[in-house]
Amino acid sequence: MKLLYTKKGLPVLFRHTDSALVEMRYYVLCGPVNELTSKEHGLCHALEHTLFCGTNKRDNAEIKQAWDKIGAYYNAFTDYDHTAYVNTVLKKHWQESYEILADMFYNANFPKERWEDIEKGAIISEIQRDQDNHAEQLQESVYADAFGESYHPILGNIENIQKASVEDLKKFYEQQYCGNNVVFVIAGDLSETQVLRTLERYDKIRKTAPTPINKISFGFNPDPVKLIRPVEQALISAVKPVPFSRNLRYRIALSLGLTCLEQYLFQELREKRGLCYGVYVDVEDSITNNFFLNLSTATDLERLPKMQKALKSSLENFVDKGLTNGRIQCAKASETFGYASRSEGVSSAADVMWSAWKNQIYSDPFDAHLSIMDRLDNGTIRRAMTKTLEGRFKIGTMTSGKE
């Protein structure tokens, strides 16, 4: 990874890859953590939609037609602390495709009719879709009850979206899409000179300082949550805060430990007892300066008490009985393979470069990761996981109420 800067000061994360494709992304440090008042809840995600609505040069249909004509992939997504606009295209079209992306990103004209008649309805439908997703609803309920008013969903709420005007969106855009909130990421078979020359031609980064965000701190309520819904099986979602650090050695140790934890829980809950189809473990790291350990699974209603007991004992026994040298070695091999393969693809390279930048790693993250992995001792992983599993999980369950 090379860290470059345009003449206007835009940070550019670039990785050369031998690929027929080029991937380009504008990242904005704008997510729910930037929505400082309840009136702003959902505006970051709304902006993700409205930037595609049109510019002074192209309307919504013309933006899509311009990309479709060259076979480009285009999308966007919002996370807790950032929004990303993604564009992947054949190398021979990358400059043309970048001009469209830059036009959309910097010259959005927020057409009122499109916002009121089309996008509001689309976003409300998206919110309702998540509300109809039982697993999603359970996790959101667990997070909201665990962390209180400091937490709100990425999509916002229907009432806010109904009330939001294009003036609200424009104001929020002006406050957030500027200065050091914006980073550009690009991977492909290009030279640094080619990248900077094209960006200098079309990029219009504004040096205005973005509105500062409040430092977010979460209390944690570990009391269980129980929801009753028309489900066929009992859903389980658990969360707990874990120690946060930008130290890459710690983060790698945590990642390896969690891989081992997921494998151990799968072995104990499915392979030995047949209580579930799968168990899923990950860390939510996109809420600035916070790590949250997530665990999810499901079982049939009759065996929920047995599952809860087995899950509790498995978590208690993991460090002593599950975090074996053999399992750690397998996790290291898997992670090394994964990082080596990700270094070859434009999309995965963009993912890793963004994660490195966000965690203040400015050297090549692939080389740094693999170098640390080679030297990481098992004791460091065990200490990281011992600390991670200290304290209570907040456990949410969703059942039909018939058990």
Side-chain angles (χ1 to χ4, degrees):
M1 181 179 81
K2 294 290 184 69
L3 173 57
L4 313 173
Y5 287 91
T6 65
K7 292 177 182 177
K8 290 184 178 179
L10 174 71
V12 180
L13 309 181
F14 167 60
R15 182 174 178 83
H16 178 271
T17 60
D18 293 321
S19 174
L21 302 175
V22 174
E23 176 131 331
M24 300 166 280
R25 301 183 185 183
Y26 271 108
Y27 278 98
V28 189
L29 291 170
C30 179
V33 296
N34 301 77
E35 296 165 349
L36 303 182
T37 67
S38 58
K39 182 182 177 182
E40 294 176 342
H41 290 183
L43 290 187
C44 287
H45 175 249
L47 281 178
E48 175 208 315
H49 280 247
T50 51
L51 260 64
F52 286 89
C53 289
T55 71
N56 292 331
K57 185 175 181 179
R58 302 175 175 95
D59 64 20
N60 171 264
E62 289 168 336
I63 289 173
K64 294 178 179 178
Q65 288 166 3
W67 267 325
D68 290 342
K69 184 177 68 175
I70 56 177
Y73 169 80
Y74 49 95
N75 206 342
F77 60 88
T78 306
D79 213 328
Y80 290 107
D81 66 353
H82 65 270
T83 306
Y85 298 85
V86 182
N87 182 215
T88 314
V89 69
L90 288 169
K91 177 185 172 182
K92 65 179 180 179
H93 295 305
W94 84 272
Q95 291 168 308
E96 181 181 355
S97 196
Y98 172 68
E99 185 276 325
I100 302 166
L101 179 64
D103 180 41
M104 184 191 82
F105 188 78
Y106 289 113
N107 302 320
N109 61 2
F110 301 94
K112 183 176 181 179
E113 185 175 333
R114 174 84 192 185
W115 168 243
E116 295 291 345
D117 296 345
I118 305 296
E119 295 305 328
K120 276 190 176 184
I123 293 170
I124 289 169
S125 178
E126 190 175 359
I127 294 171
Q128 291 169 331
R129 179 201 64 186
D130 280 5
Q131 291 173 343
D132 288 338
N133 182 316
H134 290 140
E136 184 78 23
Q137 189 181 18
L138 177 60
Q139 185 176 51
E140 286 290 353
S141 297
V142 169
Y143 264 71
D145 195 69
F147 305 119
E149 294 182 358
S150 295
Y151 173 84
H152 64 273
I154 291 172
L155 302 186
N157 59 70
I158 291 174
E159 182 182 2
N160 270 21
I161 297 304
Q162 289 173 331
K163 291 179 179 179
S165 66
V166 290
E167 287 72 26
D168 295 327
L169 294 171
K170 287 178 185 178
K171 180 180 178 181
F172 201 69
Y173 173 88
E174 293 293 328
Q175 292 173 340
Q176 302 296 339
Y177 281 53
C178 57
N180 58 13
N181 264 11
V182 181
V183 181
F184 186 73
V185 177
I186 180 167
D189 185 15
L190 305 171
S191 69
E192 295 176 27
T193 301
Q194 286 175 302
V195 170
L196 288 176
R197 185 180 294 153
T198 301
L199 263 65
E200 299 286 4
R201 183 176 179 185
Y202 298 114
D203 186 79
K204 297 180 179 179
I205 182 70
R206 294 180 295 117
K207 294 183 179 180
T208 310
T211 301
I213 65 172
N214 296 331
K215 185 176 180 181
I216 296 177
S217 60
F218 290 94
F220 181 65
N221 167 20
D223 295 339
V225 169
K226 296 181 180 181
L227 300 181
I228 304 297
R229 298 292 186 275
V231 291
E232 294 299 320
Q233 59 179 340
L235 306 182
I236 300 172
S237 178
V239 64
K240 72 182 299 293
V242 299
F244 172 82
S245 175
R246 295 190 188 279
N247 180 275
L248 185 57
R249 181 181 176 84
Y250 166 76
R251 296 171 74 93
I252 293 172
L254 180 61
S255 176
L256 291 169
L258 293 176
T259 298
C260 293
L261 176 61
E262 186 173 77
Q263 292 173 352
Y264 179 68
L265 292 176
F266 184 84
Q267 173 187 310
E268 294 296 309
L269 302 179
R270 172 176 165 152
E271 298 298 284
K272 285 187 177 180
R273 298 174 174 87
L275 290 170
C276 60
Y277 173 74
V279 186
Y280 308 99
V281 175
D282 66 78
V283 163
E284 176 58 67
D285 65 352
S286 66
I287 303 178
T288 308
N289 298 330
N290 290 274
F291 281 168
F292 302 108
L293 174 59
N294 297 318
L295 187 155
S296 60
T297 188
T299 192
D300 59 83
L301 298 170
E302 291 82 6
R303 292 190 294 174
L304 177 59
K306 187 175 180 180
M307 166 63 97
Q308 291 171 321
K309 183 178 179 180
L311 178 58
K312 182 176 183 292
S313 64
S314 297
L315 289 169
E316 290 172 348
N317 293 332
F318 169 64
V319 174
D320 291 333
K321 296 182 179 180
L323 199 53
T324 62
N325 289 339
R327 185 168 274 121
I328 291 172
Q329 184 58 43
C330 290
K332 284 184 176 180
S334 176
E335 184 115 346
T336 300
F337 174 84
Y339 246 75
S341 63
R342 276 183 277 174
S343 69
E344 302 299 321
V346 291
S347 295
S348 53
D351 286 337
V352 174
M353 286 192 288
W354 164 250
S355 179
W357 168 264
K358 197 171 74 162
N359 291 292
Q360 301 175 2
I361 299 167
Y362 306 123
S363 58
D364 189 288
F366 298 95
D367 291 344
H369 197 103
L370 295 174
S371 175
I372 290 173
M373 189 96 68
D374 285 341
R375 304 191 308 271
L376 193 64
D377 63 282
N378 293 356
T380 300
I381 298 169
R382 289 194 176 93
R383 286 190 293 274
M385 289 309 297
T386 298
K387 200 74 175 171
T388 294
L389 294 176
E390 286 179 354
R392 291 173 60 187
F393 277 88
K394 184 182 189 71
I395 298 179
T397 54
M398 180 182 287
T399 70
S400 64
K402 298 176 182 178
E403 69 280 1

